[in-house]
Amino acid sequence: MDYLKNYINGTYCEAISGAWIDNYNPSTGAVYAQIPDADNKDIDAAYKAAQAAFPSWSTATIETRSRVLLKIADLIEVNLDSLAEAEARDNGKPLSLAKAVDIPRASANFRFFGNAITQFASEAHESVGLNTMNYTLRQPIGVVGCISPWNLPLYLFTWKIAPALAAGNCVVAKPSEVTPMTAYLLGEICTEAGLPPGVLNIVHGTGPSAGQAIVAHPNIKAISFTGGTETGAHIARTAAPMFKKLSLELGGKNPNLIFADCNYEKMLSVTVKSSFANQGQICLCGSRIYVEETIYEEFKKDFIAKVSALKVGNPFDDDTNIGALVSKPHMEKVQSYIKIAQEEGGSILYGGAPVTVAGSENGYYLQPTIIEIKDNGCRVNQEEIFGPVVTIMPFKTETEALELANGVKYGLSATLWTSNIDRTMRLSAQIQAGIVWVNTWLNRDLRTPFGGVKQSGVGREGGFEALKFFTEAKNVCISYDADI
Ligand code: NDP
């Protein structure tokens, strides 16, 4: 049994209360670790360490901060195999995916922001004729809170921490209690990279206790949160009256619009990924598939054939495409939606049932599931399921496709499959989403803005947007005497 610890002031420690929470391996259903059940006392200790480290970290040269972040990136790469194994065990995702995507991306986050901070500049505005010069200082905020979800554990944890640290803040961070392992291991890496004690503090515990204590702490001045829409609303209710800066990256129910004029083979193979990668547990998965009527039957047949060839299995098997869902409660939630779909008159075209994996009989495995729906407004097509479940329905015209795509409360991302450039331009402008992919999916350049509209979030992260979020802009106006 592993005992994870909080990482506060550069050292590992238990929760002050001495309480622990079970941590499950979703591919076997067994408890394999204990994590500290931190509460507001631990968060306050983390805050105090961060506050003490702030004067020195916030005034360290850009080169110093950059060097430490790049070293963390290097060490994540060096530890790729062990981190990927830890991620697969903790989350249930295929080891191959953790090795190819999650861990390299965590390293890329530190590398990107370690470099970006050296290029981050502020503006100057000369008021010609008034003899004044304005310049903008972009100063670190102080101690900030970062809270991340379980689906891409180290990837999303570092997506927040790296820009916060690069900009000169000190951080109190909490990973999901469901997937704490790689965040725990990150502490050691930060120490080895020479990150001064207290600059980053990683606290484990539940959302309502440790998470809430971060959000409600009177001196933690900004919160970057990625997670569900309901949790985001709850966080906003606490943080807004305290006038905290807030970045909320929330749920999605993303449309995948497929037109008959697309590159069919490419669309088909990418659509399998955008539907079921990471067991469908990516906020950017295209969970609502709309297909132009003229190719609908052909698509259905080919899509089912490809999806039925996916192997659901132990995350550590090389040929596994779909691993375990992250937890028992989550598996039950996803299954409840499959039942709702049937009650609502949806047809299960493929999947829908749990899978028993030999040697891992108590793991949380579910078939990839395709549900044909008739009504865009049905619950299974409106509510975020966040599992290996997609809906499909046909459309006749571009106008109808746009209406269907926009007919949900979410607006995170959308994918468009067409070779018509006019249609691409029209729809990209009119789709209500923070991100539109055309003839591709999950293609990320870290310089680009990332975030959602409607109930998918508030604010943008990524590139200089993240560095702007993690700094306060201050205008300095200097009047000068123009006469010699
Ligand atoms: P949750 O909202 O349940 O949890 C997210 C994080 O918030 C966890 O660390 C959780 O802790 C913590 N938390 C829970 N309650 C509180 C609270 N009251 N105060 C402070 N923190 C709290 O989301 P999930 O972990 O279930 O993640 C899935 C969701 O995340 C989906 O809706 C998905 O769409 C969204 N997501 C959005 C992304 C985006 O970029 N827009 C990217 C990835 C996911 P704990 O787990 O310990 O309870």
Side-chain angles (χ1 to χ4, degrees), residues 17-31:
S17 69
W20 298 92
I21 306 170
D22 289 340
N23 183 32
Y24 289 81
N25 173 343
S27 61
T28 63
V31 173

PDB file of all heavy atoms in Angstrom, residues 17-31:
ATOM      1  N   SER A  17      -4.813  16.545  10.342  1.00  0.00           N
ATOM      2  CA  SER A  17      -5.803  15.747  11.087  1.00  0.00           C
ATOM      3  C   SER A  17      -5.398  14.281  11.204  1.00  0.00           C
ATOM      4  O   SER A  17      -5.954  13.535  11.998  1.00  0.00           O
ATOM      5  CB  SER A  17      -7.154  15.805  10.366  1.00  0.00           C
ATOM      6  OG  SER A  17      -7.045  15.093   9.134  1.00  0.00           O
ATOM      7  N   GLY A  18      -4.454  13.854  10.361  1.00  0.00           N
ATOM      8  CA  GLY A  18      -4.061  12.441  10.341  1.00  0.00           C
ATOM      9  C   GLY A  18      -5.035  11.563   9.572  1.00  0.00           C
ATOM     10  O   GLY A  18      -4.874  10.341   9.526  1.00  0.00           O
ATOM     11  N   ALA A  19      -6.043  12.178   8.916  1.00  0.00           N
ATOM     12  CA  ALA A  19      -7.054  11.375   8.206  1.00  0.00           C
ATOM     13  C   ALA A  19      -6.574  11.008   6.793  1.00  0.00           C
ATOM     14  O   ALA A  19      -5.796  11.734   6.181  1.00  0.00           O
ATOM     15  CB  ALA A  19      -8.362  12.157   8.126  1.00  0.00           C
ATOM     16  N   TRP A  20      -7.071   9.862   6.322  1.00  0.00           N
ATOM     17  CA  TRP A  20      -6.680   9.349   5.005  1.00  0.00           C
ATOM     18  C   TRP A  20      -7.912   9.028   4.175  1.00  0.00           C
ATOM     19  O   TRP A  20      -8.992   8.788   4.717  1.00  0.00           O
ATOM     20  CB  TRP A  20      -5.844   8.070   5.148  1.00  0.00           C
ATOM     21  CG  TRP A  20      -4.561   8.257   5.887  1.00  0.00           C
ATOM     22  CD1 TRP A  20      -4.363   8.095   7.227  1.00  0.00           C
ATOM     23  CD2 TRP A  20      -3.303   8.667   5.352  1.00  0.00           C
ATOM     24  NE1 TRP A  20      -3.064   8.376   7.555  1.00  0.00           N
ATOM     25  CE2 TRP A  20      -2.376   8.723   6.425  1.00  0.00           C
ATOM     26  CE3 TRP A  20      -2.855   8.989   4.063  1.00  0.00           C
ATOM     27  CZ2 TRP A  20      -1.046   9.077   6.256  1.00  0.00           C
ATOM     28  CZ3 TRP A  20      -1.522   9.341   3.898  1.00  0.00           C
ATOM     29  CH2 TRP A  20      -0.630   9.396   4.979  1.00  0.00           C
ATOM     30  N   ILE A  21      -7.708   9.010   2.857  1.00  0.00           N
ATOM     31  CA  ILE A  21      -8.781   8.615   1.923  1.00  0.00           C
ATOM     32  C   ILE A  21      -8.244   7.457   1.077  1.00  0.00           C
ATOM     33  O   ILE A  21      -7.075   7.469   0.678  1.00  0.00           O
ATOM     34  CB  ILE A  21      -9.133   9.770   0.956  1.00  0.00           C
ATOM     35  CG1 ILE A  21      -9.475  11.049   1.722  1.00  0.00           C
ATOM     36  CG2 ILE A  21     -10.242   9.394  -0.004  1.00  0.00           C
ATOM     37  CD1 ILE A  21      -9.594  12.270   0.809  1.00  0.00           C
ATOM     38  N   ASP A  22      -9.111   6.486   0.767  1.00  0.00           N
ATOM     39  CA  ASP A  22      -8.712   5.372  -0.102  1.00  0.00           C
ATOM     40  C   ASP A  22      -8.529   5.852  -1.539  1.00  0.00           C
ATOM     41  O   ASP A  22      -9.305   6.666  -2.036  1.00  0.00           O
ATOM     42  CB  ASP A  22      -9.818   4.297  -0.125  1.00  0.00           C
ATOM     43  CG  ASP A  22      -9.901   3.544   1.196  1.00  0.00           C
ATOM     44  OD1 ASP A  22      -8.907   3.564   1.951  1.00  0.00           O
ATOM     45  OD2 ASP A  22     -10.964   2.951   1.460  1.00  0.00           O
ATOM     46  N   ASN A  23      -7.528   5.291  -2.197  1.00  0.00           N
ATOM     47  CA  ASN A  23      -7.326   5.571  -3.624  1.00  0.00           C
ATOM     48  C   ASN A  23      -7.412   4.247  -4.384  1.00  0.00           C
ATOM     49  O   ASN A  23      -6.712   3.296  -4.049  1.00  0.00           O
ATOM     50  CB  ASN A  23      -5.952   6.240  -3.819  1.00  0.00           C
ATOM     51  CG  ASN A  23      -5.713   6.627  -5.258  1.00  0.00           C
ATOM     52  OD1 ASN A  23      -6.644   6.958  -5.975  1.00  0.00           O
ATOM     53  ND2 ASN A  23      -4.465   6.593  -5.682  1.00  0.00           N
ATOM     54  N   TYR A  24      -8.270   4.214  -5.400  1.00  0.00           N
ATOM     55  CA  TYR A  24      -8.564   2.966  -6.114  1.00  0.00           C
ATOM     56  C   TYR A  24      -7.791   2.856  -7.422  1.00  0.00           C
ATOM     57  O   TYR A  24      -7.545   3.850  -8.092  1.00  0.00           O
ATOM     58  CB  TYR A  24     -10.061   2.898  -6.464  1.00  0.00           C
ATOM     59  CG  TYR A  24     -10.943   2.678  -5.260  1.00  0.00           C
ATOM     60  CD1 TYR A  24     -11.292   3.749  -4.441  1.00  0.00           C
ATOM     61  CD2 TYR A  24     -11.406   1.407  -4.942  1.00  0.00           C
ATOM     62  CE1 TYR A  24     -12.096   3.553  -3.325  1.00  0.00           C
ATOM     63  CE2 TYR A  24     -12.221   1.205  -3.834  1.00  0.00           C
ATOM     64  CZ  TYR A  24     -12.557   2.285  -3.032  1.00  0.00           C
ATOM     65  OH  TYR A  24     -13.346   2.089  -1.932  1.00  0.00           O
ATOM     66  N   ASN A  25      -7.480   1.616  -7.771  1.00  0.00           N
ATOM     67  CA  ASN A  25      -6.991   1.320  -9.117  1.00  0.00           C
ATOM     68  C   ASN A  25      -8.217   0.920  -9.939  1.00  0.00           C
ATOM     69  O   ASN A  25      -8.784  -0.147  -9.719  1.00  0.00           O
ATOM     70  CB  ASN A  25      -5.985   0.157  -9.031  1.00  0.00           C
ATOM     71  CG  ASN A  25      -5.546  -0.321 -10.394  1.00  0.00           C
ATOM     72  OD1 ASN A  25      -6.175  -0.029 -11.408  1.00  0.00           O
ATOM     73  ND2 ASN A  25      -4.453  -1.064 -10.429  1.00  0.00           N
ATOM     74  N   PRO A  26      -8.659   1.753 -10.888  1.00  0.00           N
ATOM     75  CA  PRO A  26      -9.919   1.459 -11.578  1.00  0.00           C
ATOM     76  C   PRO A  26      -9.862   0.222 -12.468  1.00  0.00           C
ATOM     77  O   PRO A  26     -10.895  -0.348 -12.805  1.00  0.00           O
ATOM     78  CB  PRO A  26     -10.176   2.716 -12.419  1.00  0.00           C
ATOM     79  CG  PRO A  26      -8.900   3.464 -12.459  1.00  0.00           C
ATOM     80  CD  PRO A  26      -8.059   3.026 -11.303  1.00  0.00           C
ATOM     81  N   SER A  27      -8.658  -0.199 -12.841  1.00  0.00           N
ATOM     82  CA  SER A  27      -8.607  -1.374 -13.712  1.00  0.00           C
ATOM     83  C   SER A  27      -8.772  -2.669 -12.930  1.00  0.00           C
ATOM     84  O   SER A  27      -9.042  -3.718 -13.519  1.00  0.00           O
ATOM     85  CB  SER A  27      -7.321  -1.389 -14.537  1.00  0.00           C
ATOM     86  OG  SER A  27      -6.200  -1.444 -13.701  1.00  0.00           O
ATOM     87  N   THR A  28      -8.639  -2.610 -11.593  1.00  0.00           N
ATOM     88  CA  THR A  28      -8.874  -3.819 -10.783  1.00  0.00           C
ATOM     89  C   THR A  28      -9.986  -3.619  -9.750  1.00  0.00           C
ATOM     90  O   THR A  28     -10.467  -4.580  -9.167  1.00  0.00           O
ATOM     91  CB  THR A  28      -7.594  -4.203  -9.997  1.00  0.00           C
ATOM     92  OG1 THR A  28      -7.306  -3.130  -9.083  1.00  0.00           O
ATOM     93  CG2 THR A  28      -6.406  -4.422 -10.912  1.00  0.00           C
ATOM     94  N   GLY A  29     -10.325  -2.364  -9.497  1.00  0.00           N
ATOM     95  CA  GLY A  29     -11.334  -2.072  -8.485  1.00  0.00           C
ATOM     96  C   GLY A  29     -10.795  -2.151  -7.064  1.00  0.00           C
ATOM     97  O   GLY A  29     -11.549  -2.039  -6.096  1.00  0.00           O
ATOM     98  N   ALA A  30      -9.468  -2.333  -6.917  1.00  0.00           N
ATOM     99  CA  ALA A  30      -8.885  -2.499  -5.572  1.00  0.00           C
ATOM    100  C   ALA A  30      -8.281  -1.185  -5.063  1.00  0.00           C
ATOM    101  O   ALA A  30      -7.765  -0.393  -5.843  1.00  0.00           O
ATOM    102  CB  ALA A  30      -7.798  -3.568  -5.623  1.00  0.00           C
ATOM    103  N   VAL A  31      -8.346  -1.010  -3.732  1.00  0.00           N
ATOM    104  CA  VAL A  31      -7.662   0.129  -3.107  1.00  0.00           C
ATOM    105  C   VAL A  31      -6.168  -0.165  -3.150  1.00  0.00           C
ATOM    106  O   VAL A  31      -5.739  -1.242  -2.755  1.00  0.00           O
ATOM    107  CB  VAL A  31      -8.122   0.292  -1.640  1.00  0.00           C
ATOM    108  CG1 VAL A  31      -7.295   1.371  -0.939  1.00  0.00           C
ATOM    109  CG2 VAL A  31      -9.603   0.645  -1.583  1.00  0.00           C
TER     110      VAL A  31
END
